[in-house]
Amino acid sequence: MNRTQSHKFAVAPLMDWTDRHCRAFHRALTKEALLYTEMVTSRAIIHGDREKLLGYSPVEHPVALQIGGSEPDELAACAKIAQDWGYDEVNLNCGCPSERVQSGSFGACLMREPQLVADCMQAMAEAVTLPVTVKCRIGVDDQDEEAALFALIEACAKAGVNTFIVHARKAWLKGLSPKENRDIPPLNYPLVYALKRAHPELNIVINGGITSFEAIDEHLMHVDGVMLGRTAYQEPAFLGQVDRRLFGAGGDIGPFEALEAYRPYMQAQLEAGVSLPAMTRHMLGIMHGLPGARAFRRIMTVESIRDGAGIEVLDMAIAAVHDAMSAAHARREAYATVQKVITGLPT
């Protein structure tokens, strides 16, 4: 494993969300963040439509492929495929709690089988020169959190893995839905900090419940990197500050600038036959907090599904925000004038 990239900030793999169009949009906001694909099962990679499952735009780099599986030989073959497709990293999912994933004997249930995970990682590492990494929970069900987490990390470290992304909460495999598993089990950040103290030689990235740069700064005092999921997706303008605030690289990328940067990608995809909603659905939160954000979401949602809808929908939505911002500015100016009249100041 002789290739590395920064894990200081990453956008989490999210099923049905972080597809190729989402990642291309996120890259318009940040050049430095490490992006992850949705989880793709090892059997799908081997037997399925690889262009559909693995295809991506060159603008996405650095981009990691996340795989779900538990057969060492199969995963080694998938890692080789990922390398051939030009991915920058291969990540094994040991954190997804869904019943469908459990039925395939991978995801969070692998927390119970640290040696199997280590065997999988060793097989992957021996097959490629890419970094191979693990994304895991701190345990499942009634496991002792510290014992479960340390057992998995230490077994994989012996197999040659040096980067671990830890979602700092348990997964309950029975009785809780995947959504509930993101909120109900309590977060245990101190345990992840303790893991880093015990293994300073490892690259430890923390995930789970992180929603602000203040929180990111606090975590980076204890671990090597942070991974954001829903905040990055639902409020993508957050990503426009990442390069400056975390990497000291350039200025912020605002919503309008990001949309202009994404426009050529959208146009090319439309010409290739991709439907407009496949792209607009990832952009709905970009105007969060701005006047006209609701109108932007409505136009992007409603107008994009009309027959023949094209790039003009984006122009309509942007215009609605500009109009709302102008109206808000005019109201502020009028209010300031009234206040000057009331206080006797010159207008």
Side-chain angles (χ1 to χ4, degrees):
M1 293 182 291
N2 56 13
R3 295 171 60 185
T4 62
Q5 60 268 329
S6 174
H7 287 80
K8 187 175 185 179
F9 182 88
V11 179
L14 298 172
M15 287 298 292
D16 300 321
W17 289 9
T18 53
D19 63 18
R20 60 194 299 176
H21 307 306
C22 173
R23 298 191 304 269
F25 179 52
H26 286 174
R27 187 57 74 208
L29 287 150
T30 168
K31 304 303 180 189
E32 301 293 336
L34 176 58
L35 305 180
Y36 282 76
T37 70
E38 306 169 89
M39 181 187 69
V40 186
T41 67
S42 57
R43 290 182 184 176
I45 292 171
I46 290 173
H47 302 293
D49 182 340
R50 290 181 189 166
E51 174 56 38
K52 181 178 179 181
L53 295 168
L54 303 180
Y56 64 94
S57 168
V59 303
E60 296 174 38
H61 289 294
V63 58
L65 173 67
Q66 188 184 68
I67 301 176
S70 58
E71 297 288 339
D73 291 344
E74 200 170 75
L75 288 167
C78 289
K80 182 63 168 62
I81 292 168
Q83 181 165 278
D84 291 344
W85 276 73
Y87 279 94
D88 299 293
E89 174 184 318
V90 183
N91 177 266
L92 183 65
N93 184 313
C94 296
C96 181
S98 78
E99 290 188 6
R100 180 173 66 86
V101 167
Q102 292 178 54
S103 67
S105 299
F106 58 93
C109 64
L110 288 175
M111 295 296 301
R112 296 196 184 109
E113 300 184 74
Q115 190 53 54
L116 173 59
V117 177
D119 293 342
C120 290
M121 298 309 297
Q122 182 170 347
M124 294 167 71
E126 291 175 350
V128 296
T129 57
L130 294 178
V132 293
T133 65
V134 173
K135 187 173 189 294
C136 65
R137 295 282 187 134
I138 57 174
V140 296
D141 298 338
D142 58 357
Q143 282 185 314
D144 177 271
E145 294 176 354
E146 182 174 352
L149 178 62
F150 275 64
L152 184 79
I153 269 61
E154 289 172 355
C156 290
K158 289 179 181 177
V161 181
N162 60 21
T163 298
F164 299 88
I165 303 156
V166 184
H167 186 160
R169 68 173 99 231
K170 269 187 176 182
W172 288 93
L173 302 182
K174 298 295 181 182
L176 292 181
S177 69
K179 182 179 185 301
E180 290 169 328
N181 262 295
R182 296 194 296 267
D183 302 312
I184 293 177
L187 287 159
N188 189 349
Y189 296 141
L191 177 58
V192 184
Y193 300 164
L195 175 68
K196 176 61 184 178
R197 288 196 301 272
H199 292 284
E201 77 282 5
L202 299 179
N203 192 28
I204 304 298
V205 181
I206 199 164
N207 172 232
I210 304 168
T211 61
S212 69
F213 282 104
E214 291 73 23
I216 291 172
D217 291 341
E218 173 63 26
H219 288 306
L220 290 176
M221 295 175 65
H222 305 280
V223 294
D224 301 291
V226 295
M227 174 180 275
L228 263 68
R230 278 151 187 81
T231 294
Y233 186 89
Q234 294 167 347
E235 300 177 25
F238 187 98
L239 298 176
Q241 302 179 58
V242 164
D243 293 1
R244 175 183 62 83
R245 295 191 63 158
L246 299 182
F247 295 91
D252 292 348
I253 304 297
F256 299 106
E257 184 180 354
L259 291 173
E260 283 306 305
Y262 191 52
R263 181 187 293 269
Y265 176 89
M266 292 181 69
Q267 191 64 59
Q269 293 297 311
L270 288 167
E271 292 171 2
V274 174
S275 69
L276 185 62
M279 293 174 280
T280 57
R281 72 188 187 96
H282 302 301
M283 304 157 62
L284 300 180
I286 187 63
M287 298 297 178
H288 177 79
L290 292 179
R294 182 178 298 178
F296 180 88
R297 292 193 301 271
R298 178 185 58 77
I299 292 169
M300 296 290 271
T301 302
V302 175
E303 299 298 328
S304 66
I305 63 175
R306 299 190 189 280
D307 290 343
I311 202 74
E312 73 280 352
V313 173
L314 176 61
D315 295 328
M316 291 170 55
I318 290 173
V321 177
H322 281 307
D323 289 346
M325 292 177 69
S326 295
H329 178 73
R331 287 194 297 271
R332 287 194 297 270
E333 289 289 307
Y335 177 79
T337 299
V338 170
Q339 289 299 107
K340 289 178 180 179
V341 170
I342 291 172
T343 58
L345 295 173
T347 59

